Amino acid sequence: MPFLQTHALTHFPAPLQFVCGLAIADLTYYLWHRSVHAVPFLWAFHSIHHSQQELTIATSLRVHIFEEVVRGLFYFVPFFVLAIPARVWLPVDIAINWLLFLEHSDLDWTYGKLGTILVSPHFHRVHHSVEVQDVDTNFGSFLSIWDRLFGTANLRATRPAAYGVPGAAVPESFTRQLAYPFVWLLRERPAPFTMRKPGTFLEPTPHPAVIE
């Protein structure tokens, strides 16, 4: 579908294409990330990622395949529309994935002044907190500036008391995790355009029920 490509950055040097592409892709990811927390249908899949009670570098890989496909579209559609070549966007993808590993390591790294721009492990671990005051905060993936710009930044200095999803018991089996969101959706039957009230957990069932 070449008619969708704007070639807006074609004549820019590669480093500038890299920076612009990274900023645009990360903004679309931030918007997607907020949506998967707000819409119960999407949360059914994203809750698998949040259900882990101990953060490790492997937590970024604990995702449902459906969510991973949608996330990939949010990252790479902007690159396609802008006609940014693979030699530019591939380093962006590599950089983002390495940072995602670090973000989930539960280290107390803040990156100092650089942390006002980049998402650090100290910043992101708050996003996985079970504490109500931390709900709907620190959605950024690569850049923390979106949270600061849109008022979702949580700069608490202390480590969250616990991680995970209150009331959920997501199975550890990979195959059962594939079925888990669909089982929950069949049980809860949320309206297609239902939105969760900001700053609260999902109701009436706080989070997806256990698969027997």
Side-chain angles (χ1 to χ4, degrees):
M1 296 183 288
F3 62 91
L4 292 177
Q5 295 185 300
T6 64
H7 296 274
L9 303 177
T10 301
H11 301 296
F12 287 20
L16 186 56
Q17 290 188 42
F18 178 90
V19 172
C20 292
L22 173 61
I24 294 171
D26 204 59
L27 174 59
T28 59
Y29 176 88
Y30 171 85
L31 298 174
W32 166 83
H33 200 179
R34 291 192 65 170
S35 71
V36 298
H37 278 260
V39 181
F41 173 81
L42 298 175
W43 172 254
F45 298 90
H46 191 58
S47 62
I48 291 175
H49 173 66
H50 272 268
S51 64
Q52 191 160 328
Q53 298 177 352
E54 182 179 352
L55 296 185
T56 72
I57 59 173
T59 303
S60 61
L61 302 175
R62 184 186 173 97
V63 293
H64 194 278
I65 185 63
F66 172 80
E67 178 185 5
E68 185 66 10
V69 170
V70 176
R71 184 185 72 90
L73 289 174
F74 269 77
Y75 263 130
F76 294 112
V77 165
F79 287 93
F80 173 77
V81 172
L82 294 171
I84 297 177
R87 68 177 183 275
V88 175
W89 63 252
L90 185 57
V92 173
D93 186 46
I94 293 173
I96 288 174
N97 277 284
W98 272 106
L99 197 67
L100 285 174
F101 284 129
L102 286 176
E103 287 172 16
H104 293 92
S105 62
D106 200 17
L107 296 171
D108 200 31
W109 297 358
T110 64
Y111 298 159
K113 292 184 178 180
L114 194 59
T116 61
I117 301 174
L118 299 180
V119 174
S120 67
H122 181 91
F123 184 84
H124 185 71
R125 67 185 181 184
V126 175
H127 178 71
H128 284 263
S129 171
V130 299
E131 299 173 54
V132 174
Q133 66 269 25
D134 298 326
V135 175
D136 295 329
T137 64
N138 298 6
F139 290 102
S141 168
F142 191 89
L143 302 173
S144 62
I145 56 177
W146 308 122
D147 284 293
R148 298 173 188 273
L149 182 62
F150 295 110
T152 54
N154 184 335
L155 303 179
R156 64 177 288 176
T158 57
R159 184 180 184 274
Y163 304 118
V165 178
V170 175
E172 289 302 312
S173 164
F174 174 73
T175 53
R176 292 174 70 191
Q177 283 184 10
L178 292 177
Y180 179 76
F182 302 102
V183 172
W184 181 78
L185 289 169
L186 287 173
R187 288 179 175 177
E188 293 296 317
R189 300 184 183 277
F193 301 105
T194 299
M195 298 290 287
R196 177 181 54 78
K197 183 180 178 182
T200 64
F201 292 112
L202 285 177
E203 297 177 350
T205 302
H207 289 282
V210 180
I211 296 179
E212 301 298 340

